Amino acid sequence: MNKFIESAGKNIRWFENSGVMRPADGFWGVAERLVALDIEESIRQEIVEKFASRTMLKNSFAVESRRPDCNFETAVMFLLYGILAQDEQCFTTGENLLDYLYFRSAMKRSKTHKLPCAWRWSHVILSADGHWFDDNSWCIILQCVLRNAFPELDQKYQAGDAALTLAGHLNAAVARIMESSPDEKGEMNDPDKVWIGNLRLPHWGGLSVFALSCIHSLYHKPEYLPAIRKYLLQLKNELPGFSTSEYAYAMMGAVAAAEAFGDETAREVALLSRDLLLKAADPVTGTLPSSHYEAPSGKALADLIYTLNWSLLGLQMFCRFAPEDKDAGTLLDKQLALVMDIQDDSPDAEFNGCWRGMYDMEQHSWGGGNLYEGGSSSIYSGWTNAPISTALLLAHAGISLLELSGIKKFSGFSIVNS
């Protein structure tokens, strides 16, 4: 069997068997993450206090928040696997997850809301009025994927139209933030307090640029470029001073904008992010040091919540944008090999086939510690597992998120016989 399909298939079975998605057909969506019971007691208590909706399993518990970004990421993974592995049931599971999002979750804001077509953070926290830049950017990106690559599903859910409506508000937010001064902490937050997140960091800003670039490619929105360019001009100066985890987010946004708008500043930031990733990567394994503020830090720690996972997808985009760049291609190959090598082979169904949040490269095992959001004991559905499997499936098909989202021309899935 093809190695990419085989690894993604193991992860599909983790989704179905671990307890992170009950029922296993996606009818009621997918939980945010599993938390292994080996986590430090103080951190476990903090998670328990802040997440009232949980399911206890044998060796972990599911944080039952149904986040739209996690569900979109998981749905797209199942759809891709269904097509590329010719598995009709997996495609149906992907569609079930989308049915949950659009018809049963009550997470998409109505067209009369002050932020139409935005997505709530979770189905169990309904009072929060703000909307996260990163989460909603992924919702825009992945609804563009439905519009571009799965037209029959786009017709069913009107996904692209919803993404277009929300993107107009996202562009307005980026523009007003770029016209405002940073706060006393140096952060760049929405002065209208409608959107949440420090746009200065690519975790929020880069993903916003990616989302707006997707919409431009599908709906022709050149009016988005001024705010994007202003952000990228600032990022060009600041990116080297950010932590390693930010480089891939910057790469995704810059490559998307460079391909979609043909913008020179975007191309320069894409090349800068490429240089920073190559400099930071281990020359043998291709791993990147963990340095995100929500995860334990260490040069020998591979962070799969905020860093290595997005590097896979970002490098795939860059290599389709600049296919002549052999060094970037070599790094991508090393990282693809690494994630397949470290995929959890525990006999326990709660962990078998998954990627946990952090891997200790020196100990050759999952480890390195935990924080409230990140670390080895947090096993995310979206953000970690679904994006990594999606990267493997895209590698199998020979494409990237550029093609899948409609930024780069796409002639259909290239199914390789397993």
Side-chain angles (χ1 to χ4, degrees), residues 79-125:
L79 294 174
L80 283 174
Y81 187 85
I83 288 176
L84 296 174
Q86 302 177 64
D87 187 322
E88 185 177 347
Q89 182 55 54
C90 279
F91 192 92
T92 299
T93 297
E95 190 167 356
N96 287 344
L97 287 161
L98 294 173
D99 282 352
Y100 168 73
L101 276 170
Y102 286 100
F103 305 143
R104 292 189 289 275
S105 74
M107 287 192 288
K108 185 164 76 77
R109 298 292 195 180
S110 72
K111 291 185 178 179
T112 61
H113 188 263
K114 64 181 178 181
L115 200 60
C117 296
W119 293 81
R120 302 177 189 267
W121 179 80
S122 164
H123 77 304
V124 293
I125 302 180

Side-chain angles (χ1 to χ4, degrees), residues 8-17 77-78 81 90 389:
K10 292 177 182 177
N11 192 227
I12 288 283
R13 290 188 288 276
W14 173 76
F15 274 93
E16 295 172 336
N17 299 328
M77 174 197 68
F78 269 97
Y81 187 85
C90 279
S389 278

Side-chain angles (χ1 to χ4, degrees), residues 33-94:
R33 57 175 155 156
L34 297 185
V35 177
L37 295 183
D38 62 6
I39 198 169
E40 296 86 336
E41 179 61 22
S42 60
I43 299 175
R44 187 186 73 83
Q45 285 297 333
E46 185 180 7
I47 295 172
V48 167
E49 288 172 6
K50 293 184 178 180
F51 294 95
S53 181
R54 304 180 310 281
T55 296
M56 292 304 302
L57 304 170
K58 182 180 178 182
N59 296 301
S60 65
F61 62 87
V63 175
E64 292 285 6
S65 306
R66 261 61 174 159
R67 290 172 49 173
D69 51 336
C70 292
N71 276 266
F72 270 120
E73 288 163 1
T74 304
V76 167
M77 174 197 68
F78 269 97
L79 294 174
L80 283 174
Y81 187 85
I83 288 176
L84 296 174
Q86 302 177 64
D87 187 322
E88 185 177 347
Q89 182 55 54
C90 279
F91 192 92
T92 299
T93 297

Side-chain angles (χ1 to χ4, degrees), residues 178-197:
M178 294 310 300
E179 293 169 0
S180 305
S181 299
D183 63 18
E184 63 278 3
K185 296 180 181 179
E187 296 183 354
M188 300 179 67
N189 298 302
D190 183 6
D192 290 359
K193 298 182 179 179
V194 176
W195 293 81
I196 305 173

Side-chain angles (χ1 to χ4, degrees), residues 287-335:
T287 193
L288 298 164
S290 176
S291 59
H292 192 274
Y293 63 91
E294 290 183 315
S297 296
K299 188 174 182 179
L301 299 179
D303 165 39
L304 290 95
I305 300 174
Y306 303 104
T307 308
L308 185 59
N309 44 337
W310 305 121
S311 178
L312 286 172
L313 290 167
L315 281 167
Q316 282 184 325
M317 293 170 66
F318 183 87
C319 289
R320 297 293 290 175
F321 173 70
E324 74 283 355
D325 193 318
K326 303 304 182 185
D327 289 338
T330 297
L331 179 57
L332 173 59
D333 289 342
K334 288 178 180 178
Q335 291 185 355

